[in-house]
Amino acid sequence: MGSLIRADWLRVRRRWDVWIIVLGIPAMALLAYVTGALSSGNPQFQTSGNVPPEFQAQAAAQEAAQRAFAALPYQFPRSIATMVTGSALWLVLGSAFLAASLLGNEFTWGTIRNVVLIRPDRLRYLGARLAWIAGIVLVTFAAVVALGAIAPAIVRVDPGDPSALNQDLSFMGGPFGPTAPVSLGGALIVAASVLCVAFAGMALVGLTALKFRSAASGFLAAGAYVLVEGIAAGLVISRATGDLRYVPQMALSIRLTALIQDAQVAAGLSNGDSGPTNSAGWVSLPPLAGATILAVWLCGLLGLWFVVLRRADINE
């Protein structure tokens, strides 16, 4: 197996798309972080004319509260969660693209085609390719997390007066959201939830790419599945009663949505009173039960990779 992994490295390291993902996603995450950090210190609040002293005091309090609240996402360790969630879409798309490109296109030209045609131990090659795809995703994710940890030292955001958030903000439409400090463990929990979503995208798109033997068809089939599953689950959630309400909670898209929400609540980034988990008919599962269902999904999708390839046959 080690020789297969080393041989795959000779192939993977020459692919520009791999390096674009490994270097491009962290770069875009850092760019988005810097843009948000630079704009966070400029609360837009203006007054004109003769303003009574009591309103001037309210205006100063509002400006201080807005400045302090806008700076929270860019303070360590919350900056890690900010960096990772800001690049979540790119991480998911990058992971899915890697799986589709390194698996689906191989049936047209590459190692898997030759293995499927002539080698009985084809599953070992797929195992080596899976190890490389997962390794690339982990390296990219680790780079984003590391940037989130060091970014506050590079791009400094004035925290303002944190005590301004302790006052009564109801007169200015507040509170704006949770203002409690986020621990390092909480930030890493949020980051880990995004990593799980990226792995789910990798597993699903990789399976469809292997099944249809095409990267483009794999992307299209995976997208169609997620869309149909989401619509069906939404309809069942809105109409089901009794124990049937638990059925849509088993869906992959529903579990991923709940995972993100639960992670943010656990980290203190959300109070859980908004989002799809509060829609009518939603049934909340214990976090451990939800994580178990998601683990079954991931293991099942990855296991089906090997089932599909074992039964694959190419007619020349």
Side-chain angles (χ1 to χ4, degrees):
M1 192 67 179
S3 59
L4 292 178
I5 293 178
R6 289 191 296 271
D8 238 9
W9 164 243
L10 298 177
R11 180 181 183 83
V12 170
R13 69 180 183 180
R14 297 178 181 274
R15 296 182 60 117
W16 283 103
D17 52 354
V18 172
W19 290 108
I20 288 174
I21 289 174
V22 172
L23 300 177
I25 291 179
M28 290 187 292
L30 182 60
L31 178 62
Y33 180 93
V34 172
T35 303
L38 293 178
S39 61
S40 66
N42 299 313
Q44 301 297 321
F45 187 84
Q46 297 179 350
T47 60
S48 61
N50 295 324
V51 180
E54 60 271 17
F55 288 109
Q56 291 181 4
Q58 286 187 358
Q62 181 173 354
E63 182 178 355
Q66 289 179 339
R67 186 181 298 275
F69 185 78
L72 288 177
Y74 306 100
Q75 307 299 319
F76 180 84
R78 185 170 172 177
S79 58
I80 296 176
T82 302
M83 184 77 73
V84 174
T85 54
S87 60
L89 177 61
W90 295 110
L91 285 170
V92 174
L93 291 179
S95 302
F97 175 82
L98 278 175
S101 178
L102 294 178
L103 294 175
N105 287 341
E106 291 287 311
F107 281 102
T108 304
W109 54 271
T111 307
I112 290 182
R113 178 181 177 85
N114 297 329
V115 169
V116 171
L117 287 172
I118 64 176
R119 292 294 299 268
D121 55 346
R122 61 184 78 172
L123 299 186
R124 296 176 59 207
Y125 286 84
L126 181 59
R129 186 59 53 89
L130 171 59
W132 271 113
I133 296 173
I136 294 170
V137 172
L138 286 173
V139 168
T140 306
F141 172 78
V144 174
V145 171
L147 286 176
I150 65 176
I154 301 174
V155 184
R156 297 183 179 275
V157 177
D158 183 9
D161 182 11
S163 63
L165 296 173
N166 298 328
Q167 60 183 313
D168 182 13
L169 305 177
S170 58
F171 71 93
M172 62 182 73
F176 308 114
T179 59
V182 176
S183 65
L184 178 60
L188 293 179
I189 287 175
V190 174
S193 67
V194 175
L195 179 62
C196 290
V197 177
F199 275 133
M202 177 198 78
L204 179 60
V205 175
L207 175 61
T208 53
L210 282 171
K211 180 63 178 178
F212 294 100
R213 303 176 183 179
S214 167
S217 298
F219 254 112
L220 183 61
Y225 171 79
V226 172
L227 181 62
V228 172
E229 183 196 72
I231 294 175
L235 289 174
V236 176
I237 288 176
S238 63
R239 297 177 181 274
T241 59
D243 293 340
L244 290 178
R245 294 181 300 167
Y246 290 92
V247 174
Q249 297 299 324
M250 307 297 171
L252 178 61
S253 58
I254 298 297
R255 282 298 93 215
L256 293 174
T257 301
L259 175 68
I260 296 292
Q261 182 74 20
D262 291 343
Q264 291 181 343
V265 171
L269 296 177
S270 172
N271 49 22
D273 59 357
S274 61
T277 56
N278 284 308
S279 59
W282 183 279
V283 178
S284 296
L285 298 180
L288 182 59
T292 301
I293 295 173
L294 185 57
V296 172
W297 265 105
L298 291 177
C299 294
L301 290 173
L302 293 176
L304 286 175
W305 283 23
F306 296 89
V307 174
V308 170
L309 185 61
R310 181 170 57 86
R311 297 181 177 181
D313 188 20
I314 297 179
N315 297 321
E316 291 291 348

